[in-house]
């Protein structure tokens, strides 16, 4: 086994531990308790995407579904729940009456911000004991890896779509 293969094994093991930890129900419970909100993970993902990527402009339902890699009917059901809870509003796109535009309400922004702050506080607790040089190196390398993997899968997706 070469050096890269050995590194890949270690990286895959670390990524597996990371994703397992983040998917644990206890992790989500800790975040929502710290935030003081009751919301399920899929709903929070929608709020987060609307806040982070769309701000006050809103987003078409189909674009949000594609961005989250979730089927549109699932996003429709979840956004209906969020609308009933007063966290988002749905309106017809003025340019395309068939399209639904989603926007966060002030309450939706507040819930999303509380969840964001709770996640951030947890990461802060974890990284607080790391030396500054380790944190800086981690940020730089994690950002590079995230950008590279995002580009790789976007390219793969474009290649896959163009081969159809």
């Amino acid at each position: 086994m070469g050096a890269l293969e050995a590194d890949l094994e270690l990286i895959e093991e670390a990524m597996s531990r990371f994703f397992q930890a983040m998917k644990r129900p206890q992790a989500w419970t800790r975040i929502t308790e710290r935030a003081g909100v009751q919301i399920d993970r899929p709903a929070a993902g929608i709020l987060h995407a609307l806040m982070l990527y769309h701000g006050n402009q809103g987003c078409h339902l189909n674009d949000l579904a594609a961005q989250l890699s979730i089927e549109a009917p699932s996003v429709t059901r979840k956004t209906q729940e969020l609308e009933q809870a007063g966290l988002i509003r749905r309106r017809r796109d003025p340019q395309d009456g068939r399209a639904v535009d989603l926007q966060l309400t002030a309450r939706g922004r507040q819930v999303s911000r509380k969840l964001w702050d709770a996640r951030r506080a947890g990461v802060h607790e974890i990284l607080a004991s790391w030396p500054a040089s380790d944190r800086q190196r981690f940020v730089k390398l994690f950002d590079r890896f995230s950008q590279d993997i995002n580009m790789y899968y976007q390219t793969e997706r474009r290649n896959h779509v163009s081969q159809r």
Side-chain angles (χ1 to χ4, degrees), residues 27-122:
W28 186 246
T29 299
R30 190 168 183 173
I31 290 168
T32 57
E33 285 175 354
R34 178 177 256 158
V37 300
Q38 288 290 72
I39 191 169
D40 62 36
R41 221 184 276 249
I46 289 171
L47 294 181
H48 178 74
L50 287 171
M51 184 177 85
L52 188 62
Y53 301 113
H54 304 288
N56 293 327
Q57 280 101 43
C59 173
H60 286 159
L61 189 136
N62 288 335
D63 294 339
L64 182 62
Q67 181 178 18
L68 295 171
S69 300
I70 300 172
E71 297 295 323
S74 296
V75 173
T76 298
R77 282 189 298 277
K78 190 52 70 176
T79 57
Q80 288 169 344
E81 292 173 21
L82 290 167
E83 183 180 28
Q84 289 170 353
L87 301 175
I88 65 169
R89 70 176 131 298
R90 298 158 50 96
R91 65 179 179 90
R92 293 283 171 202
D93 183 318
Q95 279 77 40
D96 180 356
R98 298 167 296 164
V100 175
D101 193 41
L102 305 170
Q103 293 180 315
L104 286 174
T105 62
R107 186 165 167 248
R109 270 190 294 286
Q110 180 184 35
V111 167
S112 188
R113 175 47 75 194
K114 285 180 176 183
L115 290 166
W116 179 276
D117 290 345
R119 272 191 223 101
R120 186 179 180 123

Side-chain angles (χ1 to χ4, degrees), residues 145-161:
F145 180 76
S146 297
Q147 287 182 30
D148 287 352
I149 202 162
N150 189 45
M151 187 64 72
Y152 174 81
Y153 284 116
Q154 283 181 347
T155 303
E156 286 292 309
R157 183 169 184 238
R158 279 194 298 268
N159 290 342
H160 179 70
V161 170

Side-chain angles (χ1 to χ4, degrees), residues 2-14:
L4 179 56
E5 289 299 317
D7 289 345
L8 287 174
E9 290 244 349
L10 295 173
I11 290 168
E12 287 170 348
E13 289 172 12

Side-chain angles (χ1 to χ4, degrees), residues 136-146:
Q136 291 163 359
R137 210 166 67 243
F138 176 71
V139 167
K140 186 176 181 178
L141 292 173
F142 190 71
D143 184 55
R144 178 179 171 189
F145 180 76
S146 297

